[in-house]
Structures are given as structure tokens and as C-alpha cells.
Amino acid sequence: LFGASLSLMIRMQLGHPGAVFLKSDWFYNVVVTTHALMMIFFAVMPILIGAFGNWLIPLLVGGKDMIYPRMNNLSYWLSPNALYLLMLSFSTDKGVGAGWTIYPPLSVYPYHSGPSMDVLIVSLHLAGLSSLVGAINFASTNKNMPVLEMKGERAELYVLSISVTAVLLIISIPVLGGGITMILFDRNFNTTFFDPAGGGDPVLFQHLFWF
């Protein structure tokens, strides 16, 4: 609902030329950024991977539950906390207006000098950890739990697709985590991973992010 209301605000702003529904260009950027992150990390991923995976995998491998139920619980509870931090970043200082890809130099000083970007980065860390823990659980369940008639090439196509997705998440989420940690360090600890003045390269973040 929060993401959909942000989408509605964008539509109202773009509904006619010279619209002044959102009072500043900066706030428009904040709304667009938060909308995209909300829909990707807190609508699409938890529903398509988390919810459907948890519902269908036990049915399709002949099990009562996932192989690590407590790990599953951890994955679930990290998500609302990450969501809370994302909403907090929206209302902290001036908000995050760097676009959902949070490219440097837009995401570092002087463009985002307040704490909102740091809050967002912690939120993405928690969301990534939630995905990572869930993916490990899915992959382990699909590898170890199926009854004999549902193993290997006899598995449902959905189970195979979730297994592939889980492996891709396990490979890629730590890279995203590393990239946003480097932004955090550039912002707070005087590193220059993405600052050409210190031998860094802003395009490096694009490589890490899109991997």
C-alpha cells in the first residue's frame, strides 16, 4: 500500500505539464527512489520468492515444512525490520533522492550529506540478509528433502526454478552487500572506492550493483 501510494503520487505529478503536486524536484526524486526500492525488495521479492516458495516447496517435495524452519523464521522477521528502516530513510533528513540504483557520486557527499542514505544502506543489508538466508534454506530443502519419487530430473519444474534462483541469490547478494558497504565506508570512513580523486572509480559500483 505504501509503494502503491508513492506510485500514485508520481502519476499525479506527471499527470499534466508543469504540475506542482509535489512541491520540489528533490522530493519527487525521493518518492521515485523509495517507490522502486519498496516494490522490488518488499513486494516482488518477498511474494514471488518468499511466500510462494514457502507455500509450494514443501508440497512439491513431499515434506511437512522447510528443512530449517528457524532459519526461515529469521529470514521472515528480517524483512519487516528492513521495511521499517526503508520508510525511516524516506522521512529522515531530506530523504534519499539518488534513484533506486544509488549510484555514486549521487549517493555520497555533497549530494547526500544527511543520515538518510546510511539508514537506507542498513535497510538494504537487512533485506539482502533476509533473501540470502531464505535462499540457503530453499536450496538446502530442494537438495536434501524430496522423497525418492520427486528427486533430480523427476522434480517439479517450479522446484528446479526456485533452486536456480536460490543459487543465483547466494552468488549475487554478497556482491551487492559489498558494494553498498563500500558506499557506507566512502561516506563515513574517508575511503575512496568510488572517488576518482583518491584513485577510485564510480563505474566500479555499477559493475558490483548489476552483477
Side-chain angles (χ1 to χ4, degrees), residues 14 17 28 43 57 90 138 148 151 153 179 190 193:
L14 296 177
Y28 176 76
I57 284 174
F90 177 75
F138 288 151
L148 198 57
K151 274 190 185 296
E153 68 273 15
N190 284 340
F193 291 113

Side-chain angles (χ1 to χ4, degrees), residues 40-54:
I40 292 161
F41 286 98
F42 299 101
V44 175
M45 285 168 63
I47 293 169
L48 290 187
I49 306 294
F52 278 101
N54 272 296

Side-chain angles (χ1 to χ4, degrees), residues 126-139:
L126 288 185
L129 192 59
S130 170
S131 288
L132 187 61
V133 171
I136 291 168
N137 204 3
F138 288 151

Side-chain angles (χ1 to χ4, degrees), residues 128-211:
L129 192 59
S130 170
S131 288
L132 187 61
V133 171
I136 291 168
N137 204 3
F138 288 151
S140 304
T141 302
N142 296 346
K143 174 76 171 67
N144 299 314
M145 271 188 75
V147 293
L148 198 57
E149 297 76 21
M150 296 175 167
K151 274 190 185 296
E153 68 273 15
R154 285 172 292 185
E156 294 278 355
L157 185 58
Y158 181 79
V159 172
L160 292 173
S161 71
I162 285 285
S163 299
V164 170
T165 306
V167 170
L168 290 172
L169 278 170
I170 291 165
I171 292 168
S172 63
I173 290 286
V175 181
L176 175 65
I180 59 179
T181 302
M182 288 153 81
I183 288 184
L184 199 65
F185 274 52
D186 273 14
R187 289 175 54 79
N188 296 293
F189 301 112
N190 284 340
T191 56
T192 52
F193 291 113
F194 307 124
D195 184 1
D201 180 8
V203 180
L204 171 61
F205 181 78
Q206 297 181 29
H207 291 311
L208 294 171
F209 182 89
W210 287 110
F211 179 84

Side-chain angles (χ1 to χ4, degrees), residues 119-131:
V119 175
L120 176 70
I121 288 171
V122 176
S123 166
L124 292 180
H125 268 305
L126 288 185
L129 192 59
S130 170
S131 288

